[in-house]
Each structure stands twice: as structure tokens, then as C-alpha cells.
Amino acid sequence: MASSIQTETTRIKQIEHEIQRLRTAIETARSNTGLADENPELGKLQMENIKLKHRLEILNRAIATEQSKSANRQSGGPISILETLSELFTEAIANAFPQVCAEVPTVITVSSSPKFGDYQCNNAMQLVQKLKALGITKNPRDIANQLMAALPKSPLISKVEIAGAGYVNVFLDKTFSASAIMAMLKDGVKPPLCEKKRVIVDFSAPNIAKEMHVGHLRSTIIGESICRFLEFLGHNVLRLNHVGDWGTQFGMLIAHLQDRFPDYVRVSPPIGDLQAFYKESKARFDSDEEFKKRAYSCVVKLQGGDSDSLKAWTLICDVSRKEFQRVYDRLDVTIIERGESFYQKRMEVIVKELSAKGFLEEDEGRKIMWGENRESIPLTIVKSDGGFTYDTSDMAAIKQRLQEEKGEWLIYVTDAGQATHFQIIFSCARRAQILDPNIHRVDHVGFGVVLGEDGKKFKTRSGDSIKLTELLDEGLKRSLNKLLEKERDKVLTAEELTAAQESVAYGCIKYADLSHNRNNEYIFSFDKMLEDKGNTAVYLLYAYTRIRSIARNCGGDFANNIDKVIANTKLSLDHEKEWKLAKVLLKFTDVMKLISRNLCLHHLCDFVYEVCTTFTEFYDTCYCIEKNKQGEIVKINAGRVLLCEATSRVLGKCFHILGLKPLHKI
């Protein structure tokens, strides 16, 4: 491999030298005539120069590809089929049609039917149009033939064929694919190689003194899975909970606490039901002018650092944290709280900095900041009364995360309604040179709202938001009923039944959310998410448990020393259902790469469902264990059992990312 790169580097130097010679010749020819059509030699030199430039591009790409493959090999990274095929056909297009290759992005798709191969290159029609513009007439099948002739050899491909109006069908090589599956078994299911970054994910974000409700469900579930996904890729992930723990509402809460529990400084008050406590204080704030004045004075004292006010604030925050943590524990969510209070001093600093640099403008008493192009709406950095806003805290937060935390990739997981706000924040941060698009990546991961089965926003009959604890409790109740319907209590111990109940309840809630495109609304229905058929967590959990039982049922080394079986078994993939399952498993790397681009986890849900349905086809057709009439094992098809093992390992990684907890028995 090193000698190959060395050879290519030498050729690049030769071509660069030749290009320089041609440039000199072209300039000489131009000075003599000025126009190419007046000097055929000039036109010939220009065409030769174009071809050499394209050849140089191909060689540079070949070196980059070889270096990437080498890094993948050294790190044990898996191959991306789509990227590899794209690189091969990009080189074929450049070799066959150098005059237009720069204008034609390579298009590789998964074939819709096995008769059209496994993948397709669909560039022929586009090449026809580009060549036609240069006065070159070719039909699509001629183009396809030239692409096939120019396609570099690859162990990934067994053959290519032309179909229809110039589609190039690609058939994967079974030997190569079998070795890739065996690599999964020997080395583990590994992520694709990528540049490791410091990633900060902002998600969940409830408000202190208010219970978490269904409105927090999607941010919490999506944010947790994105963190797990990024950690699997090898990124350094910081999970942040930007809770609302500062502001005017704390004045009324502190004032109410002083009235209800005047001895709160010495004796911790029993304010377990913060929701009721909040409603009481809000009612007083809205109806009692004297109380409202005292509430405002409490805010001033709190912001000024008064010890008794800080004690009251800490008590209220601690009660909320405990309630939040109960929800996070049930959903298996890990997150670090860093509320608005954390950024108070930093807000003062950011206001001074933006003002000193001339970014703030006066507007009816406010201080505002426009983004790069003065489009949309400005941020309100300072209110007319001198107070700060969410805009101020978000600007302070983005600066802190990029400069103090050394974040390279920031992700904000909030509802789609906040998309414009974050676009303005990012624009202002770029304008202030806090955010450098050449160094930093920022994403707003938006999502649609949760709807009830009536198609309206998911609420209680009284119109209140549904509490997350109540939703989770209802899930537990319904999942237990389903398990009892199937008489699982007769085959599971009490502990196993409880584990199954929790796995199904929380798994179905998470999966129902993640399996929908996050950009869309979705209807929350326990009945649908608890079905054991179709693309549901229940179906997947049952399928996984069955797959894991196969090796155990084989006994011997299959059950107790699977690594020994892996070391001594060859995978053949001779049966069409074996081959179909293997090809689905090999899509794993490309699914990972797709999600890293768009952060949409429904792609992973689609993948695991395809794995499970394809496995069912395989299992129903291909016997892994053969028994006689007495039920005794007479033959074990080791290669097929290993295909089951590879399937379970791929699913296990996917389940972890999605937050599903598979069980030994269910």
C-alpha cells in the first residue's frame, strides 16, 4: 500500500510538471493568435491540459482513498459500500469522460429488486446531457458500456451489468461480504472511521418548579439517542440540561415559600408537590398586587446574592432535580444540569463585549443585535428595563460552549418552532466571530409535536399537559396487561416479568418516537406501539430474544465458547436467504454515516426492522439446528448459527443507541 501511494505521488509530480509545460505552450500560442479556432494547435493543447488536470484530480483522489482505507484497516474500521462504489464510479466517469466529470456528481443507489443487482450507478442520462452540450452525441447504453470498461477492479464487486436505459447494475461479491461479516464477529461491530470531535448536546431542558410533561418527551428521548450514537462513533460527548432555573418566577416562589414556611432557613420545608406550590404562588402573583411587589423585590435580592434568598432558591431547585432524576432514571437517560443561573455572570460579560465591538443597537429602549444579513428578526440582548433575555443567555451559552468547553460541534435538540431562533443565534455568533464555520459545526435538531389519537396536541381531557410520570406509569400498566394476555407470567419469574414489563413499556415509548421522522408530528398510541407485529419495539425485542436463544440451544461451544466456533468456521452464504441477510447487515456502516449527516434516527429504526424481517425470512427457510423425531440434535449448521450471532450483535449495538433494553427471556 505504501509503495502504491509512492508511485501515485511520483505520477502526480510528473503530471504537474507536464501541466506547467502546457500552460507555457498555451500562453505562447495565445500571444500568437488570440483565439483557439484560429490556431488548431492551441485547441489541442487546451484539451490535453483539461485531460491532465482531470487525471491529476483522479490521482489525488486515489491517494486520499487509499490513505482512508489504510486508516480504516489499521483501526479495524468497516467498509462503506456506498462510499466505495461512489469512489470507483467517480474514477470511471473521470477516466471515460474527463471533459464533463467535474460537472457530474456520482449517483449510487440501492437496487429496488435483486434482478437489478445490489446497487446501481444512475449517471448515464446525466452524462448524455452534459456531452450533448459539448456537441458529443451518445446514447445512454453506450455511456454505460464505457463506464463499465473504465471501472477499476474491486474485491467488493463480483460483476456489473447494464439494464434499461443505461443503468449499471452492481452485484456484490459473496467472498468479500462473508469476510466482512466474519470481521464483525472477530473484531466486534465497529463504527465507521470519522474525525473525532468534542460534541456538546443540549436537550431535555425542563423548568425548575414545574413537572416534566409530554412536551419534554421528544427532546429527552431524541437527545439521549443522539448522544449514544455520537459516543458509539467515538466522539467526546457532553450532555447538557439547560434548565430554566432563574428569572421572575423565582421571586414569586421565594415570596410564597417565606409565607408558607417562614422557618425554611433552619427547617427544610415539605414542598414535595412543586406543581401545586407553583400554581398557588402564580395565583397570588396574578391577583395580589402587594404580593407581586414583594415577589419582584425577592428577585432583586436573589440576583444580588442575598443568602436567605439563595437558600430558598436552592431548596426549590433541589426538589425539582429529584423529580427530574426519577424520570431520567426510568428512561435510562444521563445528563448534566447546567441551567440559566450558570450563565448569569457570563451574560454580563457578553453584553459588554458585544457593545464594545459595536454589535448592539438601540431600539425603543432595548439593545438589539442583528445577524449577518439583517434578515428575519434581531436578538433582544438587553430589555428596556435593563434585564436579560433568553437571547442573552443563549449567546452567553454558545460562547461558553465553544471557548471554555472547547466544543467543536454543538447540537440543540428542541421543537421545530425554535428553528428560527437558533438560526439567528448562530448567525449572530458568526457575526461576532464567536462561531467559526470553518472550525465549528452547529445543528438545531428540531422535531414535531406529539399528537393524541384525535390528531390534536396530546393533552389531558381538562386541557393540561400530560405529566411524564403519568405517561410512564400508564405504559407500565399496559405492558403488564399485554404480557399477562400472552401468559408470560407462567414462564417468567416475578423478577423476569418485572424486567420484561419495564423493557416493553419504556422501549415502546422510545421507539414509537424515534421510528418517526423527527421533523414530523406523530400520533401517540399505546395500542399501536404495543403491537407485537410490524415496526414496533415489542416485535424487535421478541425477535432479538429469539435470535440470542439459537446459539444457546445448540449447546457446547456455541453456547459457552462462541469465539472458538468463529475461529474455526467458514461463512459461505450459499443460500439466497443467507446472502440476503448478509447484505442487509453490511448496510450498517452506511446507515451510521447517513445519521451522522442528518441526525435522523428513524433511519436506524428502519434498518433494525429490515434486519429483523430479513432474519425471519432466513430463519423460516434455513435450518440452523436439525433434529430427529425424538427432538435430538443431529446437525448444527455452524455458518448459519454464526450469521445469527452477527445479526444479534448488530442489533445489540442498534438497540443500545435507541435506548432499548433487550432481555434474555421475554
Side-chain angles (χ1 to χ4, degrees), residues 373-423:
N373 302 312
R374 297 183 75 90
E375 296 174 355
S376 192
I377 55 176
L379 297 181
T380 298
I381 301 298
V382 183
K383 294 189 293 185
S384 57
D385 63 2
F388 298 147
T389 68
Y390 288 126
D391 295 346
T392 326
S393 63
D394 280 337
M395 283 297 289
I398 197 170
K399 177 175 181 265
Q400 192 275 336
R401 292 167 186 181
L402 293 173
Q403 295 184 1
E404 294 181 43
E405 297 291 348
K406 307 300 181 186
E408 298 166 282
W409 184 2
L410 306 186
I411 298 171
Y412 296 80
V413 186
T414 73
D415 65 89
Q418 297 188 50
T420 300
H421 168 74
F422 281 106
Q423 291 310 313

Short mmCIF file of all heavy atoms in Angstrom, two decimals, residues 373-423:
data_model
loop_
_atom_site.label_atom_id
_atom_site.label_comp_id
_atom_site.label_asym_id
_atom_site.label_seq_id
_atom_site.Cartn_x
_atom_site.Cartn_y
_atom_site.Cartn_z
N ASN A 373 -26.94 39.23 7.91
CA ASN A 373 -27.56 39.90 6.77
C ASN A 373 -28.77 40.75 7.13
O ASN A 373 -29.54 41.14 6.26
CB ASN A 373 -27.97 38.85 5.73
CG ASN A 373 -26.79 38.02 5.27
OD1 ASN A 373 -25.74 38.56 4.93
ND2 ASN A 373 -26.95 36.70 5.27
N ARG A 374 -28.94 41.02 8.44
CA ARG A 374 -30.08 41.82 8.91
C ARG A 374 -31.40 41.26 8.41
O ARG A 374 -32.33 42.00 8.09
CB ARG A 374 -29.92 43.30 8.53
CG ARG A 374 -28.71 43.95 9.17
CD ARG A 374 -28.64 45.42 8.82
NE ARG A 374 -29.62 46.21 9.54
CZ ARG A 374 -29.40 46.77 10.74
NH1 ARG A 374 -28.22 46.62 11.33
NH2 ARG A 374 -30.34 47.49 11.32
N GLU A 375 -31.46 39.94 8.29
CA GLU A 375 -32.69 39.30 7.85
C GLU A 375 -33.47 38.81 9.06
O GLU A 375 -32.98 38.83 10.18
CB GLU A 375 -32.38 38.12 6.92
CG GLU A 375 -31.71 38.56 5.62
CD GLU A 375 -31.27 37.37 4.78
OE1 GLU A 375 -31.39 36.23 5.26
OE2 GLU A 375 -30.78 37.60 3.67
N SER A 376 -34.67 38.36 8.84
CA SER A 376 -35.51 37.81 9.90
C SER A 376 -35.73 38.87 10.98
O SER A 376 -36.16 39.99 10.69
CB SER A 376 -34.88 36.54 10.48
OG SER A 376 -35.80 35.86 11.30
N ILE A 377 -35.43 38.54 12.24
CA ILE A 377 -35.63 39.47 13.34
C ILE A 377 -34.35 39.54 14.16
O ILE A 377 -33.55 38.61 14.16
CB ILE A 377 -36.81 39.04 14.24
CG1 ILE A 377 -36.60 37.60 14.74
CG2 ILE A 377 -38.14 39.17 13.52
CD1 ILE A 377 -37.65 37.13 15.71
N PRO A 378 -34.14 40.65 14.89
CA PRO A 378 -32.91 40.74 15.69
C PRO A 378 -33.08 40.04 17.04
O PRO A 378 -34.19 39.73 17.47
CB PRO A 378 -32.75 42.25 15.88
CG PRO A 378 -34.16 42.76 15.91
CD PRO A 378 -34.93 41.89 14.94
N LEU A 379 -31.97 39.81 17.70
CA LEU A 379 -31.99 39.33 19.08
C LEU A 379 -32.19 40.52 20.01
O LEU A 379 -31.68 41.61 19.75
CB LEU A 379 -30.67 38.65 19.44
CG LEU A 379 -30.27 37.38 18.68
CD1 LEU A 379 -28.93 36.88 19.21
CD2 LEU A 379 -31.33 36.31 18.78
N THR A 380 -32.92 40.31 21.09
CA THR A 380 -33.01 41.33 22.15
C THR A 380 -32.01 40.93 23.22
O THR A 380 -32.23 39.98 23.98
CB THR A 380 -34.43 41.40 22.74
OG1 THR A 380 -35.35 41.78 21.71
CG2 THR A 380 -34.49 42.41 23.88
N ILE A 381 -30.90 41.63 23.26
CA ILE A 381 -29.82 41.30 24.19
C ILE A 381 -30.06 41.92 25.57
O ILE A 381 -29.78 41.30 26.60
CB ILE A 381 -28.46 41.76 23.62
CG1 ILE A 381 -28.20 41.08 22.26
CG2 ILE A 381 -27.33 41.45 24.59
CD1 ILE A 381 -28.10 39.56 22.32
N VAL A 382 -30.59 43.14 25.59
CA VAL A 382 -30.93 43.80 26.86
C VAL A 382 -32.33 44.41 26.73
O VAL A 382 -32.60 45.13 25.77
CB VAL A 382 -29.91 44.90 27.23
CG1 VAL A 382 -30.27 45.52 28.59
CG2 VAL A 382 -28.49 44.36 27.26
N LYS A 383 -33.20 44.11 27.68
CA LYS A 383 -34.56 44.66 27.66
C LYS A 383 -34.54 46.14 28.05
O LYS A 383 -33.53 46.65 28.55
CB LYS A 383 -35.45 43.89 28.63
CG LYS A 383 -35.69 42.44 28.24
CD LYS A 383 -36.76 41.78 29.11
CE LYS A 383 -36.30 41.63 30.55
NZ LYS A 383 -37.30 40.87 31.36
N SER A 384 -35.66 46.80 27.83
CA SER A 384 -35.74 48.24 28.14
C SER A 384 -35.55 48.52 29.62
O SER A 384 -35.12 49.60 30.01
CB SER A 384 -37.08 48.81 27.66
OG SER A 384 -38.16 48.09 28.26
N ASP A 385 -35.88 47.52 30.48
CA ASP A 385 -35.69 47.71 31.92
C ASP A 385 -34.29 47.30 32.38
O ASP A 385 -33.99 47.26 33.58
CB ASP A 385 -36.74 46.95 32.72
CG ASP A 385 -36.66 45.43 32.53
OD1 ASP A 385 -35.76 44.96 31.79
OD2 ASP A 385 -37.51 44.71 33.09
N GLY A 386 -33.42 46.93 31.42
CA GLY A 386 -32.05 46.55 31.75
C GLY A 386 -31.85 45.07 32.00
O GLY A 386 -30.73 44.61 32.22
N GLY A 387 -32.94 44.30 31.96
CA GLY A 387 -32.85 42.87 32.21
C GLY A 387 -32.38 42.09 30.98
O GLY A 387 -32.37 42.61 29.86
N PHE A 388 -32.00 40.84 31.22
CA PHE A 388 -31.54 39.96 30.15
C PHE A 388 -32.68 39.06 29.67
O PHE A 388 -33.72 38.94 30.33
CB PHE A 388 -30.36 39.11 30.62
CG PHE A 388 -29.15 39.91 31.02
CD1 PHE A 388 -28.31 39.47 32.05
CD2 PHE A 388 -28.85 41.10 30.39
CE1 PHE A 388 -27.19 40.20 32.43
CE2 PHE A 388 -27.73 41.84 30.75
CZ PHE A 388 -26.90 41.39 31.77
N THR A 389 -32.47 38.43 28.54
CA THR A 389 -33.50 37.58 27.93
C THR A 389 -32.92 36.20 27.60
O THR A 389 -31.73 35.94 27.80
CB THR A 389 -34.01 38.22 26.62
OG1 THR A 389 -32.95 38.18 25.65
CG2 THR A 389 -34.46 39.66 26.83
N TYR A 390 -33.79 35.34 27.05
CA TYR A 390 -33.30 34.03 26.56
C TYR A 390 -32.25 34.23 25.48
O TYR A 390 -31.31 33.43 25.35
CB TYR A 390 -34.46 33.21 25.99
CG TYR A 390 -35.41 32.68 27.05
CD1 TYR A 390 -36.77 32.92 26.98
CD2 TYR A 390 -34.93 31.90 28.11
CE1 TYR A 390 -37.65 32.44 27.94
CE2 TYR A 390 -35.79 31.41 29.08
CZ TYR A 390 -37.15 31.68 28.99
OH TYR A 390 -38.00 31.19 29.94
N ASP A 391 -32.40 35.29 24.67
CA ASP A 391 -31.40 35.59 23.64
C ASP A 391 -30.02 35.82 24.27
O ASP A 391 -29.00 35.33 23.77
CB ASP A 391 -31.80 36.83 22.83
CG ASP A 391 -33.09 36.63 22.04
OD1 ASP A 391 -33.51 35.47 21.91
OD2 ASP A 391 -33.66 37.63 21.58
N THR A 392 -30.02 36.57 25.37
CA THR A 392 -28.76 36.87 26.05
C THR A 392 -28.12 35.58 26.58
O THR A 392 -26.91 35.36 26.41
CB THR A 392 -29.00 37.82 27.24
OG1 THR A 392 -30.05 38.72 26.94
CG2 THR A 392 -27.74 38.59 27.58
N SER A 393 -28.93 34.74 27.24
CA SER A 393 -28.37 33.51 27.81
C SER A 393 -27.90 32.56 26.72
O SER A 393 -26.87 31.88 26.88
CB SER A 393 -29.39 32.81 28.73
OG SER A 393 -30.52 32.40 28.02
N ASP A 394 -28.60 32.52 25.60
CA ASP A 394 -28.17 31.64 24.51
C ASP A 394 -26.88 32.12 23.87
O ASP A 394 -26.04 31.31 23.44
CB ASP A 394 -29.27 31.50 23.45
CG ASP A 394 -30.35 30.51 23.87
OD1 ASP A 394 -30.05 29.64 24.71
OD2 ASP A 394 -31.48 30.59 23.37
N MET A 395 -26.69 33.44 23.78
CA MET A 395 -25.43 33.96 23.26
C MET A 395 -24.29 33.69 24.25
O MET A 395 -23.17 33.32 23.85
CB MET A 395 -25.54 35.47 22.99
CG MET A 395 -26.31 35.81 21.72
SD MET A 395 -25.51 35.20 20.22
CE MET A 395 -24.08 36.27 20.12
N ALA A 396 -24.57 33.85 25.54
CA ALA A 396 -23.55 33.54 26.55
C ALA A 396 -23.21 32.05 26.54
O ALA A 396 -22.05 31.66 26.68
CB ALA A 396 -24.05 33.97 27.93
N ALA A 397 -24.25 31.22 26.34
CA ALA A 397 -24.05 29.77 26.36
C ALA A 397 -23.23 29.31 25.16
O ALA A 397 -22.33 28.47 25.30
CB ALA A 397 -25.41 29.06 26.37
N ILE A 398 -23.52 29.83 23.97
CA ILE A 398 -22.78 29.37 22.79
C ILE A 398 -21.32 29.79 22.90
O ILE A 398 -20.42 29.03 22.51
CB ILE A 398 -23.44 29.88 21.48
CG1 ILE A 398 -22.93 29.06 20.29
CG2 ILE A 398 -23.21 31.35 21.24
CD1 ILE A 398 -23.70 29.32 19.00
N LYS A 399 -21.08 30.96 23.46
CA LYS A 399 -19.68 31.41 23.66
C LYS A 399 -18.98 30.50 24.67
O LYS A 399 -17.84 30.07 24.45
CB LYS A 399 -19.67 32.86 24.13
CG LYS A 399 -18.26 33.39 24.43
CD LYS A 399 -18.32 34.88 24.77
CE LYS A 399 -16.92 35.41 25.04
NZ LYS A 399 -16.54 35.44 26.44
N GLN A 400 -19.65 30.20 25.80
CA GLN A 400 -19.05 29.35 26.82
C GLN A 400 -18.75 27.95 26.29
O GLN A 400 -17.69 27.38 26.56
CB GLN A 400 -20.00 29.27 28.03
CG GLN A 400 -19.39 28.65 29.27
CD GLN A 400 -19.45 27.13 29.29
OE1 GLN A 400 -20.31 26.52 28.64
NE2 GLN A 400 -18.56 26.51 30.06
N ARG A 401 -19.67 27.42 25.49
CA ARG A 401 -19.51 26.05 24.99
C ARG A 401 -18.40 25.95 23.94
O ARG A 401 -17.70 24.94 23.87
CB ARG A 401 -20.85 25.56 24.42
CG ARG A 401 -21.89 25.37 25.50
CD ARG A 401 -23.29 25.18 24.95
NE ARG A 401 -24.27 25.14 26.06
CZ ARG A 401 -25.56 24.97 25.90
NH1 ARG A 401 -26.08 24.83 24.69
NH2 ARG A 401 -26.37 24.95 26.96
N LEU A 402 -18.24 27.00 23.16
CA LEU A 402 -17.19 26.97 22.14
C LEU A 402 -15.82 27.33 22.71
O LEU A 402 -14.81 26.71 22.35
CB LEU A 402 -17.54 27.93 21.00
CG LEU A 402 -18.76 27.54 20.15
CD1 LEU A 402 -19.09 28.66 19.16
CD2 LEU A 402 -18.51 26.24 19.40
N GLN A 403 -15.78 28.30 23.61
CA GLN A 403 -14.49 28.81 24.08
C GLN A 403 -14.01 28.13 25.36
O GLN A 403 -12.85 27.75 25.47
CB GLN A 403 -14.57 30.32 24.27
CG GLN A 403 -14.81 31.06 22.94
CD GLN A 403 -14.80 32.57 23.08
OE1 GLN A 403 -14.59 33.11 24.17
NE2 GLN A 403 -15.02 33.28 21.98
N GLU A 404 -14.89 27.96 26.35
CA GLU A 404 -14.47 27.33 27.61
C GLU A 404 -14.50 25.81 27.52
O GLU A 404 -13.57 25.14 27.98
CB GLU A 404 -15.38 27.80 28.75
CG GLU A 404 -15.25 29.28 29.09
CD GLU A 404 -16.15 29.67 30.24
OE1 GLU A 404 -16.22 28.91 31.24
OE2 GLU A 404 -16.82 30.73 30.15
N GLU A 405 -15.55 25.28 26.93
CA GLU A 405 -15.67 23.82 26.81
C GLU A 405 -14.91 23.26 25.62
O GLU A 405 -14.81 22.04 25.46
CB GLU A 405 -17.14 23.41 26.69
CG GLU A 405 -18.01 23.74 27.88
CD GLU A 405 -17.67 22.92 29.11
OE1 GLU A 405 -16.91 21.93 28.98
OE2 GLU A 405 -18.15 23.26 30.20
N LYS A 406 -14.43 24.15 24.74
CA LYS A 406 -13.70 23.75 23.53
C LYS A 406 -14.56 22.87 22.62
O LYS A 406 -14.08 21.94 21.98
CB LYS A 406 -12.40 23.00 23.88
CG LYS A 406 -11.49 23.74 24.85
CD LYS A 406 -11.05 25.08 24.30
CE LYS A 406 -10.12 25.81 25.28
NZ LYS A 406 -9.79 27.19 24.83
N GLY A 407 -15.85 23.18 22.60
CA GLY A 407 -16.76 22.43 21.74
C GLY A 407 -16.44 22.66 20.27
O GLY A 407 -16.15 23.79 19.86
N GLU A 408 -16.51 21.59 19.49
CA GLU A 408 -16.30 21.69 18.04
C GLU A 408 -17.59 21.47 17.28
O GLU A 408 -17.70 21.81 16.11
CB GLU A 408 -15.26 20.65 17.60
CG GLU A 408 -13.89 20.85 18.23
CD GLU A 408 -13.00 19.64 18.04
OE1 GLU A 408 -13.18 18.65 18.77
OE2 GLU A 408 -12.14 19.70 17.14
N TRP A 409 -18.56 20.86 17.96
CA TRP A 409 -19.85 20.55 17.33
C TRP A 409 -20.92 20.74 18.40
O TRP A 409 -20.92 20.07 19.42
CB TRP A 409 -19.81 19.11 16.82
CG TRP A 409 -21.03 18.66 16.06
CD1 TRP A 409 -22.13 19.39 15.74
CD2 TRP A 409 -21.24 17.35 15.51
NE1 TRP A 409 -23.03 18.63 15.03
CE2 TRP A 409 -22.50 17.38 14.87
CE3 TRP A 409 -20.50 16.18 15.50
CZ2 TRP A 409 -23.03 16.26 14.23
CZ3 TRP A 409 -21.02 15.06 14.87
CH2 TRP A 409 -22.27 15.10 14.24
N LEU A 410 -21.81 21.71 18.18
CA LEU A 410 -22.90 21.98 19.12
C LEU A 410 -24.22 21.51 18.52
O LEU A 410 -24.51 21.77 17.35
CB LEU A 410 -23.00 23.47 19.43
CG LEU A 410 -21.75 24.20 19.93
CD1 LEU A 410 -22.10 25.62 20.32
CD2 LEU A 410 -21.11 23.46 21.09
N ILE A 411 -25.02 20.82 19.35
CA ILE A 411 -26.31 20.31 18.90
C ILE A 411 -27.37 20.75 19.90
O ILE A 411 -27.23 20.54 21.11
CB ILE A 411 -26.30 18.76 18.80
CG1 ILE A 411 -25.25 18.31 17.77
CG2 ILE A 411 -27.67 18.22 18.45
CD1 ILE A 411 -25.02 16.81 17.75
N TYR A 412 -28.43 21.38 19.40
CA TYR A 412 -29.55 21.82 20.22
C TYR A 412 -30.78 21.01 19.83
O TYR A 412 -31.22 21.07 18.67
CB TYR A 412 -29.83 23.30 20.00
CG TYR A 412 -28.72 24.24 20.42
CD1 TYR A 412 -27.60 24.45 19.61
CD2 TYR A 412 -28.78 24.93 21.63
CE1 TYR A 412 -26.59 25.32 19.98
CE2 TYR A 412 -27.77 25.80 22.01
CZ TYR A 412 -26.67 25.99 21.18
OH TYR A 412 -25.68 26.85 21.56
N VAL A 413 -31.33 20.25 20.77
CA VAL A 413 -32.48 19.39 20.49
C VAL A 413 -33.72 20.04 21.09
O VAL A 413 -34.00 19.91 22.29
CB VAL A 413 -32.28 17.97 21.06
CG1 VAL A 413 -33.42 17.05 20.62
CG2 VAL A 413 -30.93 17.39 20.62
N THR A 414 -34.46 20.77 20.27
CA THR A 414 -35.69 21.43 20.73
C THR A 414 -36.76 21.29 19.65
O THR A 414 -36.47 20.85 18.53
CB THR A 414 -35.46 22.93 21.00
OG1 THR A 414 -35.32 23.63 19.75
CG2 THR A 414 -34.23 23.18 21.85
N ASP A 415 -37.97 21.73 19.97
CA ASP A 415 -39.06 21.61 18.98
C ASP A 415 -38.78 22.49 17.77
O ASP A 415 -38.04 23.48 17.84
CB ASP A 415 -40.40 21.96 19.62
CG ASP A 415 -40.47 23.42 20.04
OD1 ASP A 415 -40.88 24.26 19.22
OD2 ASP A 415 -40.08 23.73 21.19
N ALA A 416 -39.39 22.10 16.66
CA ALA A 416 -39.14 22.78 15.38
C ALA A 416 -39.52 24.26 15.42
O ALA A 416 -39.01 25.07 14.65
CB ALA A 416 -39.91 22.08 14.26
N GLY A 417 -40.42 24.63 16.33
CA GLY A 417 -40.84 26.02 16.43
C GLY A 417 -39.72 26.97 16.82
O GLY A 417 -39.84 28.19 16.64
N GLN A 418 -38.62 26.43 17.35
CA GLN A 418 -37.49 27.27 17.74
C GLN A 418 -36.40 27.35 16.67
O GLN A 418 -35.32 27.90 16.91
CB GLN A 418 -36.89 26.76 19.05
CG GLN A 418 -37.84 26.83 20.23
CD GLN A 418 -37.17 26.48 21.54
OE1 GLN A 418 -36.12 27.02 21.87
NE2 GLN A 418 -37.77 25.59 22.30
N ALA A 419 -36.69 26.81 15.49
CA ALA A 419 -35.68 26.77 14.42
C ALA A 419 -35.18 28.17 14.06
O ALA A 419 -33.97 28.41 13.94
CB ALA A 419 -36.24 26.06 13.20
N THR A 420 -36.11 29.11 13.89
CA THR A 420 -35.72 30.47 13.50
C THR A 420 -34.85 31.11 14.58
O THR A 420 -33.84 31.76 14.28
CB THR A 420 -36.96 31.34 13.26
OG1 THR A 420 -37.74 30.75 12.21
CG2 THR A 420 -36.57 32.75 12.86
N HIS A 421 -35.23 30.90 15.83
CA HIS A 421 -34.45 31.47 16.94
C HIS A 421 -33.00 31.01 16.88
O HIS A 421 -32.07 31.82 17.00
CB HIS A 421 -35.08 31.05 18.28
CG HIS A 421 -34.21 31.33 19.47
ND1 HIS A 421 -34.00 32.60 19.96
CD2 HIS A 421 -33.47 30.49 20.26
CE1 HIS A 421 -33.18 32.54 21.01
NE2 HIS A 421 -32.84 31.27 21.21
N PHE A 422 -32.80 29.70 16.67
CA PHE A 422 -31.43 29.19 16.68
C PHE A 422 -30.66 29.60 15.42
O PHE A 422 -29.45 29.82 15.48
CB PHE A 422 -31.41 27.67 16.87
CG PHE A 422 -31.61 27.28 18.31
CD1 PHE A 422 -32.81 26.74 18.73
CD2 PHE A 422 -30.62 27.49 19.25
CE1 PHE A 422 -33.02 26.41 20.07
CE2 PHE A 422 -30.81 27.17 20.58
CZ PHE A 422 -32.01 26.63 21.00
N GLN A 423 -31.33 29.74 14.32
CA GLN A 423 -30.65 30.24 13.12
C GLN A 423 -30.13 31.66 13.35
O GLN A 423 -29.04 32.02 12.91
CB GLN A 423 -31.60 30.21 11.90
CG GLN A 423 -31.94 28.80 11.42
CD GLN A 423 -30.72 27.92 11.22
OE1 GLN A 423 -29.74 28.33 10.60
NE2 GLN A 423 -30.77 26.71 11.75
#
